[in-house]
Amino acid sequence: MITGKNCIAGEFSAKGNVEFKTTNPKLNIQNETTFVEASSEEIELAVTSAWDAFKVFRKLPGDKRAEFLNAIADEILALDQELLDTYCMESGLPEGRAIGERGRTMNQLRSFATLVANEDWRENTFDAAEPDRKQMPKDDLRKTMIPLGPIAVFGASNFPLAYSTAGGDTASALAAGCPVVVKSHPMHAGTSELIASAIVKAAEKTGMPKGVFSSINGGIQAGVDLVSHPKIKAVGFTGSITGGRALFDLAAKRPEPIPVFAEMGSINPVIITPNAIAKRGNDIAKTYAGSITLGTGQFCTNPGLLLTIKDENTEAFINELAKETIALDAQCMLHPNIKSGYVSKGESVTSQDGVAIVGQLKGDLDPNYAASAVATVSGTEFLKNTKLHQEVFGPFSLVVQCKDEAELLQVIEELEGQLTGTLIAEDNDDLDIAEIVDALQNRVGRIIYNGVPTGVEVCPSMQHGGPYPASTDSRFTAVGIHAIKRWVRPVSYQSFPLELLPEHLRK
Ligand code: NAP
């Protein structure tokens, strides 16, 4: 049962005096449970308990942490229908998506469990001593990765499971040996509490130290207090550029600055060559209408920007894209605030000089349902006006018609950093594809050829992160097993006797 309390080092408590409720966006009403924001004392206890737990947790053998991660996955499944119902009630997302996201969350936990069951993930390196080396003897050196310490994780509004309380950030941090304090996303605090209860049960069953996990409810101040706490050693965040940047700046200003791995906005440019439009424009339009509206456009990989070179087929293609997009049923957004953000950011883009709305879903929509839309603008106007480069979080895409290949390349070069870039082209295309790929790879973390950017496979070769502002550190990924690298640092041991080395470095 959902209590509305915070989960502080394995105990559920509500000592604060600020209350809030979540919203059912489909019905546009508040849900019943009253949640209590964490008090400063509760935040303090969560972090100091995490610090105490760190001293034990970091030393556990990998197979013990693997047992814990697998147990979390089992306990999440055991939450059964209550979890699915709460997820749908708080997010407006359908049950099929809830089941899919639950499966992904469990798979992430299990894949990190498999990864850390042995110690190879630590990138251990060995350099043998050369005592007889000329000029200067060489010492024995061995390098490994060790965990950073307690991590603050901010739950994402658009992934109540896979990027929230037991999502990728938490799973990878626990796998690395870092305790976690989650700030649950206020839009789905009930889902978060259920997941927190599953983690607590798993921790008890597998004998983990109590402070290994906490989850606090709260607004901006709770997040600020958490990131400012000297015993927090890194931050994982998914959300807006404003929020991610504020936390990044805050972390940099601490007496001891810490890394913030924030995954933020992206408009995910898609370059469609005139040849591809001429050959299969209608198919591309249909596929992209599906990708633009998938999950009501509330994916970080949503294709918000389509780029092409204007010719005699462009207009018909854009009309077809708009027709296919608005033919799909309107869907509910995550929250009234996300809906109002969609409307205001959409208006901010479509009211700029030279922008024309090609199609927009009309009719009597329920309050939190989104009217999908496709707009267009010339490459020249796009280059002049950076307001057109901003993310419109929802089922919206802007088609930029460049006058020639040089302008297309310039547009790509002027874009801010992106999570993904896609190229839709024909074999032996007229354009210089190698040049376009070269320009694109400098702006993105993942390039897709003849596909769609939505749908992020969880596997080792996935890169989910790109140049700023897609993420605050493009050298790391938030998805896949390499996400663990965000929470560790290298340590070298020089001339150490074997018995004093960590076991995995003794050979
Ligand atoms: P958000 O406003 O960035 O909030 C995410 C989390 O960070 C929340 O827990 C929020 O707390 C906290 N937060 C925000 N600003 C903060 C600050 N200055 N200091 C400390 N904590 C702060 O994101 P959201 O609520 O998920 O969605 C809002 C908008 O973000 C969307 O409309 C969309 O434009 C964008 N977004 C983009 C992506 C993407 O993947 N591209 C994903 C999600 C959202 P409070 O809720 O209490 O403010």
Side-chain angles (χ1 to χ4, degrees):
M1 200 195 84
I2 302 169
T3 62
K5 294 180 178 177
N6 304 277
C7 170
I8 310 292
E11 309 291 333
F12 284 82
S13 70
K15 299 196 172 134
N17 45 27
V18 181
E19 297 180 340
F20 69 98
K21 289 182 178 233
T22 60
T23 301
N24 181 327
K26 271 198 163 157
L27 303 179
N28 201 32
I29 54 167
Q30 288 201 317
N31 294 313
E32 265 176 31
T33 310
T34 299
F35 293 89
V36 183
E37 292 195 2
S39 65
S40 336
E41 291 73 28
E42 285 170 316
I43 295 174
E44 177 67 24
L45 183 59
V47 181
T48 49
S49 304
W51 183 252
D52 291 342
F54 181 49
K55 293 169 198 164
V56 180
F57 191 54
R58 69 184 179 211
K59 289 194 207 137
L60 290 179
D63 57 354
K64 284 297 290 174
R65 289 202 307 283
E67 215 179 292
F68 177 35
L69 292 166
N70 282 323
I72 297 173
D74 295 342
E75 293 298 333
I76 288 176
L77 192 61
L79 290 167
D80 204 11
Q81 198 59 37
E82 188 183 10
L83 177 66
L84 301 177
D85 291 345
T86 309
Y87 174 107
C88 297
M89 187 175 74
E90 291 185 329
S91 69
L93 294 166
E95 186 169 296
R97 161 80 190 267
I99 293 169
E101 204 182 315
R102 181 183 62 180
R104 178 176 171 162
T105 308
M106 289 164 50
N107 286 343
Q108 289 174 168
L109 288 156
R110 295 198 194 286
S111 70
F112 281 111
T114 306
L115 178 73
V116 299
N118 70 57
E119 302 290 354
D120 294 345
W121 67 272
R122 293 182 194 267
E123 299 178 0
N124 304 315
T125 48
F126 300 83
D127 278 284
E130 293 175 38
D132 301 327
R133 193 173 68 174
K134 289 273 181 305
Q135 315 288 353
M136 209 168 60
K138 182 183 172 194
D139 285 345
D140 179 283
L141 273 159
R142 296 160 194 235
K143 188 157 79 172
T144 191
M145 295 287 184
I146 61 166
L148 292 178
I151 308 296
V153 169
F154 286 73
S157 61
N158 58 341
F159 276 95
L161 295 174
Y163 288 97
S164 286
T165 307
D169 288 348
T170 298
S172 53
L174 292 176
C178 298
V180 168
V181 181
V182 168
K183 183 180 117 44
S184 71
H185 199 289
M187 292 179 194
H188 46 71
T191 306
S192 179
E193 187 187 321
L194 288 174
I195 297 290
S197 71
I199 299 176
V200 169
K201 273 193 195 148
E204 280 166 6
K205 281 187 180 167
T206 55
M208 293 297 131
K210 274 186 164 260
V212 74
F213 174 81
S214 290
S215 173
I216 58 167
N217 299 319
I220 287 188
Q221 192 55 46
V224 168
D225 290 350
L226 196 54
V227 173
S228 309
H229 198 292
K231 297 268 187 280
I232 288 291
K233 299 300 176 191
V235 180
F237 172 94
T238 302
S240 66
I241 295 178
T242 318
R245 183 62 201 238
L247 295 173
F248 180 85
D249 290 344
L250 179 68
K253 281 193 193 128
R254 290 171 30 135
E256 179 198 352
I258 52 170
V260 174
F261 298 99
E263 196 243 278
M264 305 175 290
S266 208
I267 50 174
N268 304 297
V270 180
I271 291 103
I272 312 178
T273 68
N275 278 338
I277 288 178
K279 254 215 158 134
R280 51 195 166 98
N282 285 358
D283 288 346
I284 297 168
K286 203 174 179 56
T287 304
Y288 265 82
S291 180
I292 292 166
T293 54
L294 191 71
T296 330
Q298 302 163 120
F299 286 125
C300 42
T301 51
N302 191 60
L305 186 72
L306 308 189
L307 309 174
T308 190
I309 298 171
K310 188 177 166 76
D311 73 0
E312 68 280 6
N313 299 316
T314 317
E315 192 180 337
F317 168 71
I318 300 174
N319 286 337
E320 185 66 16
L321 176 71
K323 192 183 95 188
E324 292 283 0
T325 302
I326 65 177
L328 297 167
D329 287 342
Q331 300 166 76
C332 188
M333 298 204 85
L334 293 161
H335 190 268
N337 293 348
I338 300 276
K339 166 75 190 284
S340 60
Y342 173 61
V343 171
S344 67
K345 284 187 186 142
E347 281 170 3
S348 152
V349 167
T350 54
S351 62
Q352 299 299 311
D353 282 351
V355 177
I357 297 175
V358 187
Q360 185 165 33
L361 187 62
K362 298 270 188 266
D364 203 9
L365 298 182
D366 284 337
N368 298 316
Y369 280 59
S372 55
V374 171
T376 189
V377 71
S378 72
T380 314
E381 285 296 337
F382 185 82
L383 283 168
K384 275 200 299 204
N385 186 352
T386 52
K387 284 199 177 135
L388 299 175
H389 303 203
Q390 68 179 308
E391 179 183 49
V392 179
F393 193 66
F396 172 84
S397 201
L398 179 67
V399 187
V400 177
Q401 304 184 49
C402 301
K403 60 175 186 274
D404 53 23
E405 196 170 339
E407 189 172 73
L408 174 69
L409 284 169
Q410 200 188 345
V411 167
I412 296 170
E413 273 168 24
E414 300 278 316
L415 287 173
E416 292 187 309
Q418 306 288 333
L419 288 172
T420 74
T422 304
L423 180 61
I424 309 283
E426 291 297 298
D427 293 342
N428 307 315
D429 210 285
D430 292 344
L431 298 190
D432 187 344
I433 298 298
E435 190 74 12
I436 293 173
V437 170
D438 184 56
L440 203 50
Q441 77 180 2
N442 283 309
R443 306 311 311 130
V444 310
R446 173 165 61 107
I447 307 186
I448 300 117
Y449 187 73
N450 277 336
V452 290
T454 40
V456 181
E457 186 69 38
V458 183
C459 64
S461 305
M462 175 54 67
Q463 174 59 21
H464 193 70
Y468 184 86
S471 50
T472 45
D473 195 335
S474 60
R475 295 169 298 171
F476 296 91
T477 178
V479 172
I481 50 171
H482 295 147
I484 198 171
K485 295 181 185 179
R486 296 171 299 167
W487 319 120
V488 293
R489 66 182 175 85
V491 169
S492 286
Y493 294 85
Q494 186 168 343
S495 301
F496 258 63
L498 282 187
E499 65 276 15
L500 286 183
L501 283 168
E503 222 168 278
H504 55 274
L505 289 184
R506 292 179 202 167
K507 73 166 199 184

